[in-house]
Amino acid sequence: MVEGMDGAHDMVLWKVEPQCSMAEADDFERLSRLLDRPRVKIERKLSFDERSLSELPVTGNLRPVDSYDSMCSPGAGRSVFDTPVSVARNSFEPHPMVGEAWDALRRSIVFFRGQPVGTIAAIDHASEEVLNYDQVFIRDFVPSAMAFLMNGEPEIVKNFLLKTLHLQSWEKRIDRFKLGEGVMPASFKVNHDPVRKTDTLTADFGESAIGRVAPVDSGFWWIILLRAYTKSTGDLSLAETPECQKGMRLILSLCLSEGFDTFPTLLCADGCSMIDRRMGVYGYPIEIQALFFMALRCALAMLKPDVEGKEFMERILTRLNALGYHMRSYFWLDFQQLNDIYRYKTEEYSHTAVNKFNVIPDSIPDWIFDFMPTRGGYFVGNVSPAKMDFRWFALGNCIAILSSLATPEQSVAIMDLIEERWEELVGVMPLKISYPALEGHEWSIVTGCDPKNTRWSYHNGGSWPVLLWLLTAACIKTGRPQIARRAIELAESRLWKDGWPEYYDGKLGRYIGKQARKFQTWSIAGYLVAKMMLEDPSHLGMISLEEDKVKKLPIRRSASWTA
């Protein structure tokens, strides 16, 4: 799938030479004291993002978390090549990694017809195989976009949103099958022809991906990023254009359509998200459900209440209430719930069943009994008939906090779990994408003997620095910035001198991944976003949604309830 347009801009990439002076910087003591100050007693129950931010002294750039009013980022309108605002604005000496990270991030920028439209996945010149690491991925670009927005550089984000929206309109076929109209590409590549002086685009909707799976998460990330752009710039005009309104409706049409589903969760194939290889997450993976919930809430805030928009808004409200109840009731696991499942009866029939999914207690893995602390909890990886995946997945749980899919109490419990099981979930390099790793016969059956997803590597228990920005956002929202600071300090001890690897291997994340690319763009951007959010917690408003914003619909019993 190729599009041609006249005009071109050479994308020049240079290798970044890592430096070894790793000066430690205790930059955040003042912020921690501010966030840990005693709470003010207010009669109304505040949501977690309100409590963590609204009680800070109102100084400088502090903004409301979820007001849909104009919220221009500090330094808006800056050039793509200016000095980072976060460095210039700081009253304390920044870590030397920050400047190097910005330089590396800017070297990854991709241009189309002279305009910046995204960042490539990696600029590792030492790797012999390029594969698709020279492409702009929607999910990979999100932390880069957040970094540019926080630094007052929205142009590249706007261009990216418009370009990927245009790609959505392309006809998408895999063999003889046509994909849904609303599917967003996993990635796109800019091809420059120096002879004809033209730029062309090639998009991948899953037809070139390993396993040929369409990216379910791309559309959700696009909606989330559109809201982040609107929150950061205060520019409502982009989201309100007919093109963006249609784009959102097309994405929503794919996931709100009625079918044979008996649950409000979204049924997915393996490999349709960040975990893009066979890892036993088919069914109803937590990552997709959390992103689905967040995208629905973001779309609800941006859709215009016209004839078409109003219909979708009503459908979104209905789905949000059903999805929120389902996830909080059946995906949540803590010590008490684990004990209840352990004592479940099976083969129950009728609406009075307690074990609604017929989970067999003997299927509970041994590791979970020692792993589960008395204080803490999390959303399990997957729930479907007779199947409960007890693994921890970091991205889904962080998004659950940020989207307020997790209740305030559940959000606190997730952070408690991370603290209680720091060695297992963080180790020496944040953050484990999943825990524990699949091993032995189970690994053979579940992954199909995947040589890349061996135990404690890649998506099978590997440690991914990009997740640092989501962890930091969750920490700030729950009023626990000290957890984020500790994780950032771990990353700063190695990430730069190791050359910004894609992931780390081993139980503790001590080793650079055996197939990890160096100068991985989202590892770089994830670090920058985490630093900037700690410096200015008001940036959290771009990616966080308040718990009490979801409207409640009356729950009516179906006719079959009393039949």
Side-chain angles (χ1 to χ4, degrees):
M1 298 179 181
V2 181
E3 178 191 73
M5 298 186 75
D6 293 333
H9 188 292
D10 290 323
M11 180 180 68
V12 183
L13 304 177
W14 295 279
K15 182 176 179 181
V16 182
E17 294 296 334
Q19 300 182 22
C20 297
S21 58
M22 300 298 295
E24 294 294 325
D26 190 10
D27 297 339
F28 309 113
E29 291 294 341
R30 179 169 57 86
L31 174 61
S32 296
R33 288 197 296 272
L34 290 175
L35 286 170
D36 292 336
R37 62 181 298 182
R39 306 297 190 200
V40 179
K41 292 185 178 180
I42 301 175
E43 196 65 31
R44 181 174 71 87
K45 184 178 179 181
L46 296 177
S47 64
F48 266 67
D49 41 1
E50 286 179 298
R51 284 208 297 273
S52 61
L53 296 180
S54 65
E55 292 163 12
L56 288 170
V58 182
T59 59
N61 305 312
L62 199 58
R63 301 186 293 273
V65 173
D66 202 58
S67 168
Y68 200 62
D69 300 328
S70 176
M71 292 174 55
C72 295
S73 292
R78 296 172 57 81
S79 162
V80 175
F81 303 101
D82 282 342
T83 303
V85 171
S86 60
V87 175
R89 188 173 63 244
N90 253 344
S91 59
F92 45 80
E93 187 68 23
H95 195 283
M97 278 177 64
V98 172
E100 291 295 328
W102 274 110
D103 289 343
L105 180 60
R106 297 193 193 287
R107 276 190 281 271
S108 72
I109 293 174
V110 175
F111 293 87
F112 182 77
R113 298 192 69 194
Q115 297 295 318
V117 293
T119 52
I120 60 172
I123 49 175
D124 186 359
H125 293 286
S127 177
E128 295 180 359
E129 287 186 296
V130 176
L131 296 177
N132 56 358
Y133 283 84
D134 61 345
Q135 298 185 22
V136 180
F137 283 80
I138 286 186
R139 78 173 68 95
D140 290 41
F141 180 67
V142 171
S144 295
M146 294 295 173
F148 288 123
L149 289 174
M150 291 178 186
N151 202 49
E153 304 175 38
E155 179 193 6
I156 186 173
V157 182
K158 183 176 182 179
N159 293 341
F160 171 86
L161 289 166
L162 290 173
K163 185 53 61 182
T164 47
L165 181 63
H166 174 65
L167 295 175
Q168 183 195 40
S169 65
W170 288 10
E171 183 179 89
K172 301 167 274 283
R173 286 184 178 274
I174 296 182
D175 294 332
R176 298 183 181 183
F177 184 72
K178 184 178 179 181
L179 277 68
E181 188 179 2
V183 174
M184 281 285 187
S187 62
F188 66 87
K189 181 178 181 179
V190 176
N191 305 290
H192 173 60
D193 187 335
V195 177
R196 298 181 180 180
K197 299 188 183 306
T198 58
D199 286 341
T200 58
L201 288 177
T202 305
D204 178 15
F205 293 91
E207 70 272 23
S208 300
I210 296 173
R212 303 301 186 264
V213 180
V216 176
D217 64 336
S218 287
F220 299 151
W221 278 122
W222 187 88
I223 292 175
I224 293 166
L225 184 55
L226 178 61
R227 176 193 174 271
Y229 170 85
T230 303
K231 296 284 290 183
S232 174
T233 63
D235 177 15
L236 305 177
S237 61
L238 179 62
E240 292 178 349
T241 60
E243 293 77 13
C244 283
Q245 291 288 307
K246 181 183 178 182
M248 283 190 285
R249 291 196 302 268
L250 287 174
I251 295 169
L252 295 171
S253 294
L254 291 174
C255 49
L256 293 177
S257 58
E258 296 179 352
F260 292 100
D261 298 304
T262 54
F263 314 125
T265 41
L266 207 58
L267 182 63
C268 302
D270 238 337
C272 66
S273 59
M274 179 180 175
I275 298 178
D276 57 3
R277 300 169 75 91
R278 182 174 162 187
M279 271 290 293
V281 296
Y282 60 89
Y284 306 92
I286 178 60
E287 177 178 338
I288 290 297
Q289 312 314 319
L291 286 171
F292 180 31
F293 186 88
M294 189 166 195
L296 288 177
R297 294 199 59 198
C298 290
L300 185 63
M302 294 185 292
L303 283 171
K304 297 170 71 174
D306 51 23
V307 176
E308 291 179 293
K310 189 174 181 181
E311 177 193 350
F312 274 95
M313 292 170 75
E314 291 173 354
R315 293 168 66 185
I316 288 172
L317 281 171
T318 301
R319 190 63 166 263
L320 278 173
N321 281 278
L323 181 60
Y325 175 82
H326 183 91
M327 297 298 295
R328 294 163 190 148
S329 300
Y330 305 123
F331 274 65
W332 180 253
L333 188 72
D334 54 21
F335 183 85
Q336 183 59 54
Q337 181 65 10
L338 177 60
N339 206 161
D340 291 344
I341 296 172
Y342 177 69
R343 292 167 51 83
Y344 268 170
K345 295 179 180 179
T346 60
E347 310 302 325
E348 293 180 298
Y349 180 76
S350 89
H351 63 268
T352 60
V354 175
N355 185 1
K356 295 182 185 296
F357 293 89
N358 198 35
V359 176
I360 311 300
D362 288 344
S363 69
I364 302 174
D366 293 337
W367 64 266
I368 189 64
F369 294 105
D370 293 328
F371 175 78
M372 179 61 71
T374 54
R375 184 176 68 97
Y378 65 102
F379 290 97
V380 297
N382 215 314
V383 177
S384 59
K387 174 188 175 183
M388 182 172 282
D389 185 348
F390 289 88
R391 284 177 293 174
W392 153 271
F393 291 91
L395 192 151
N397 276 274
C398 287
I399 292 292
I401 292 175
L402 296 174
S403 65
S404 290
L405 171 60
T407 65
E409 295 76 18
Q410 289 171 339
S411 297
V412 169
I414 293 171
M415 301 312 299
D416 288 342
L417 177 77
I418 292 174
E419 282 195 309
E420 291 284 335
R421 295 293 178 259
W422 184 268
E423 184 170 319
E424 291 88 345
L425 302 181
V426 181
V428 299
M429 178 57 68
L431 182 65
K432 285 291 177 195
I433 189 173
S434 63
Y435 180 90
L438 300 171
E439 302 183 65
H441 181 67
E442 184 182 25
W443 167 80
S444 302
I445 298 300
V446 174
T447 72
C449 299
D450 187 350
K452 194 166 186 178
N453 271 329
T454 53
R455 63 177 185 173
W456 306 114
S457 181
Y458 201 54
H459 294 145
N460 187 17
S463 299
W464 290 70
V466 63
L467 296 172
L468 189 61
W469 79 275
L470 288 169
L471 174 65
T472 300
C475 289
I476 294 173
K477 183 174 181 181
T478 53
R480 311 275 275 274
Q482 68 279 4
I483 298 178
R485 184 178 61 190
R486 182 181 175 191
I488 289 173
E489 288 172 350
L490 281 175
E492 287 176 337
S493 68
R494 286 192 58 185
L495 195 54
W496 178 19
K497 68 180 181 181
D498 286 345
W500 308 99
E502 180 182 11
Y503 62 94
Y504 286 78
D505 285 354
K507 261 192 174 183
L508 299 178
R510 293 175 58 199
Y511 303 96
I512 297 173
K514 59 183 176 182
Q515 295 187 42
R517 299 302 172 104
K518 296 290 188 73
F519 298 100
Q520 187 78 13
T521 303
W522 68 357
S523 296
I524 297 165
Y527 167 73
L528 287 172
V529 173
K531 291 286 282 188
M532 285 190 283
M533 274 195 289
L534 273 180
E535 293 168 11
D536 183 359
S538 66
H539 287 313
L540 180 66
M542 284 188 234
I543 196 66
S544 176
L545 294 161
E546 296 181 60
E547 181 266 338
D548 55 0
K549 291 291 184 181
V550 180
K551 300 174 183 177
K552 304 297 181 184
L553 290 178
I555 299 176
R556 299 182 178 89
R557 290 181 175 179
S558 65
S560 63
W561 181 272
T562 55

